[in-house]
Amino acid sequence: EVQLVESGGGLVQPGRSMKLSCAASGFTFNNYDMAWVCQAPKKGLEWVATISYDGSSTYYRDSVKGRFTISRDNAKSTLYLQMDSLRSEDTATYYCARGWYFDFWGPGTMVTVSS
Amino acid sequence: DVVLTQTPSTLSATIGQSVSISCRSSQSLLDSAGNTYLYWYLQRPGQSPQLLIYLVSNLGSGVPNRFSGSGSGTDFTLKISGVEAEDLGVYYCMQATHAPPTFGSGTKLEIK
């Protein structure tokens, strides 16, 4: 059974950093590109970033370029999202999702950016 | 970015009723290789989204066959043939033909 479990969310002040993790199991992690998708409170879904199966290529939405870094550790079957210079508008639930069309999702981890 | 417009924004249905949700794109989603990267998801209350339909009309793993997808170019439809209570939630279309991937604003399905 495919499982994705995010962790690392919480309350953080504007301008500070936070690192999210996503532990994957139930499939061959290093065969799949992986993504982060976010959802602001009571809002819709927004793609954040994607990383290729081997980590060699990364892609970001414009609003997070230069502030967020997606990475992965295939030996640990874990996906990461390093979020720097956080803004209030980054407040959202962050989901880890498999592939380019998100066939499996984790339960999400909430990030609140507030002073 | 490609804008996906979903209608209606809210839908109220009785059990057993058939309903349709429209997703219209600001650009054609047909790529140069002849592929159309249009997907449908359901987000039940308090849960993460789940994939229902991929590549316009293919049923996701474990998805009941009362769900179907159709369309081409810029106009796409998700149909539920015989709504069940477990179908309540918000439905989203998503395109991945053009970077960045974008989602529609969602259609909330309520059960009468």
Side-chain angles (χ1 to χ4, degrees):
Chain A
E1 178 193 6
V2 172
Q3 286 201 325
L4 300 169
V5 180
E6 304 90 342
S7 60
L11 176 64
V12 62
Q13 293 180 328
R16 304 297 290 263
S17 298
M18 178 171 276
K19 187 172 186 176
L20 307 182
S21 299
C22 171
S25 61
F27 65 103
T28 305
F29 184 70
N30 57 16
N31 281 356
Y32 289 86
D33 298 347
M34 295 294 296
W36 290 97
V37 179
C38 73
Q39 185 171 36
K42 304 294 185 184
K43 299 293 185 183
L45 300 166
E46 196 168 73
W47 170 77
V48 176
T50 294
I51 187 167
S52 62
Y53 67 99
D54 61 356
S56 63
S57 298
T58 56
Y59 311 86
Y60 299 93
R61 68 177 301 105
D62 285 348
S63 61
V64 307
K65 279 180 186 174
R67 299 189 301 121
F68 289 12
T69 303
I70 188 172
S71 62
R72 64 192 296 159
D73 184 337
N74 283 346
K76 295 182 178 179
S77 296
T78 302
L79 178 71
Y80 302 102
L81 185 67
Q82 175 68 43
M83 303 185 294
D84 299 325
S85 303
L86 282 161
R87 307 167 179 166
S88 58
E89 55 263 37
D90 297 320
T91 293
T93 296
Y94 286 77
Y95 297 101
C96 162
R98 191 176 80 166
W100 274 100
Y101 63 90
F102 321 140
D103 59 350
F104 288 95
W105 300 61
T109 187
M110 181 69 196
V111 173
T112 302
V113 184
S114 174
S115 54
Chain B
D1 295 1
V2 172
V3 176
L4 298 179
T5 302
Q6 286 185 234
T7 54
S9 55
T10 304
L11 193 50
S12 186
T14 56
I15 301 298
Q17 183 179 352
S18 292
V19 298
S20 293
I21 299 170
S22 170
C23 176
R24 287 191 168 174
S25 174
S26 60
Q27 298 179 38
S28 173
L29 300 183
L30 178 66
D31 77 355
S32 56
N35 300 308
T36 302
Y37 297 95
L38 189 282
Y39 307 87
W40 291 95
Y41 303 86
L42 164 60
Q43 186 173 31
R44 294 188 173 100
Q47 296 186 18
S48 53
Q50 67 170 101
L51 177 69
L52 295 175
I53 301 285
Y54 64 96
L55 299 174
V56 180
S57 58
N58 297 278
L59 217 53
S61 176
V63 176
N65 60 12
R66 63 179 179 273
F67 291 94
S68 62
S70 62
S72 63
T74 60
D75 289 344
F76 302 91
T77 301
L78 175 71
K79 183 177 181 180
I80 311 173
S81 300
V83 166
E84 298 193 4
E86 65 181 17
D87 299 338
L88 75 91
V90 181
Y91 291 79
Y92 295 95
C93 56
M94 192 273 287
Q95 69 81 27
T97 297
H98 304 283
T102 50
F103 291 87
S105 55
T107 294
K108 185 176 183 179
L109 175 62
E110 300 172 339
I111 306 296
K112 289 180 184 175

